[in-house]
Amino acid sequence: MIVTLIVVCEVGFWVLLAGGLSLRYLAKMPRAGIAVLLLEPVLELVLLLATAVDLRNGAEADWKHGLAAVYIGYSVGLGHSTIKWVDARFAHRFAGGPPPVKPPKYGTARTVHEWKTAARWILSCAVAYGLLQAAAWYVGDGDTSSLHAWQTKVLIVAGINLAIAASYTLWPKQAPAAEKLDR
C-alpha cells in the first residue's frame, strides 16, 4: 500500500503542477493556479499519515516506510525549487515569458550556486533522517534496521552534496581563457 501511495503522490505532484501552471499561464487564472499549487503539500501529509497508520497497525518497518520518509524529505527540501524550475520553463514555452535563467558556470557565482543546491539537499536529507528516526522511535522494540539503513543512505547523499559544494570553494571553476578575453 505504501509504495502505491508514493507512486500516487508522485503522479499527483506532476498533475497538480501541470494543472496549476496551466491555470496560471494558459487560462490566465493566476490565483486559481496558485491555489492548485498550494495543494502539493497535502500529498506529503497524506503519505506521512498513511505511513504512521500503517506502522501503528502493526506493519513491520521496512524499505517502503523508509522510501516514504525520503520522498517527503525530498519534497520539503527540493519541492519548491523543482516547482520554480518547471514554472520558469512553462512560462517561457507557453506564456511568452523570458528564457529561464541558467545557473552560473564559473567563479564565485558558481560556488554560491553549488552551496545553495547543497543546502537544499542537506535540508531534504535532514528532514528524511528526522522522519526515519521518528518512525524508529514510533516502532519501538521492533526491527528498525531498514529505517537505519535509509538513514545511512541519506547521510551519504548529504555528504556527497557537501563535498561537491566544498570542491567548488576549494577549486572554483574558472572561465576558459577565450571567454575571459571576450568580456
Side-chain angles (χ1 to χ4, degrees):
M1 172 187 102
I2 297 299
V3 173
T4 303
L5 190 54
I6 292 170
V7 171
V8 166
C9 286
E10 182 64 14
V11 170
F13 172 85
W14 292 104
V15 167
L16 287 174
L17 184 56
L21 294 176
S22 293
L23 285 169
R24 186 174 182 178
Y25 295 112
L26 301 178
K28 308 281 191 236
M29 300 171 65
R31 286 187 179 163
I34 289 173
V36 170
L37 292 174
L38 288 173
L39 292 174
E40 300 272 356
V42 173
L43 296 172
E44 282 70 36
L45 184 60
V46 167
L47 180 59
L48 179 64
L49 293 173
T51 302
V53 167
D54 192 44
L55 290 171
R56 187 191 65 200
N57 288 339
E60 183 178 325
D62 61 11
W63 68 271
K64 298 176 289 223
H65 300 97
L67 181 61
V70 170
Y71 179 83
I72 293 168
Y74 177 89
S75 294
V76 169
L78 292 151
H80 181 69
S81 61
T82 301
I83 291 169
K84 281 178 59 175
W85 186 87
V86 174
D87 183 35
R89 279 141 188 83
F90 196 97
H92 176 65
R93 173 73 171 91
F94 297 108
V101 177
K102 293 182 179 180
K105 290 184 179 181
Y106 308 110
T108 304
R110 178 60 185 226
T111 301
V112 169
H113 170 77
E114 292 298 332
W115 278 106
K116 287 179 179 179
T117 301
R120 286 190 288 271
W121 275 102
I122 290 167
L123 173 62
S124 295
C125 293
V127 169
Y129 192 94
L131 289 172
L132 290 161
Q133 188 59 50
W137 287 333
Y138 190 64
V139 169
D141 294 334
D143 180 21
T144 58
S145 59
S146 177
L147 300 176
H148 294 301
W150 276 105
Q151 285 180 315
T152 301
K153 291 172 187 165
V154 298
L155 287 175
I156 290 169
V157 169
I160 289 169
N161 280 277
L162 194 57
I164 290 169
S167 74
Y168 276 91
T169 301
L170 298 173
W171 304 285
K173 191 172 180 182
Q174 300 298 320
E179 284 189 35
K180 288 181 183 177
L181 294 176
D182 290 339
R183 292 183 193 176

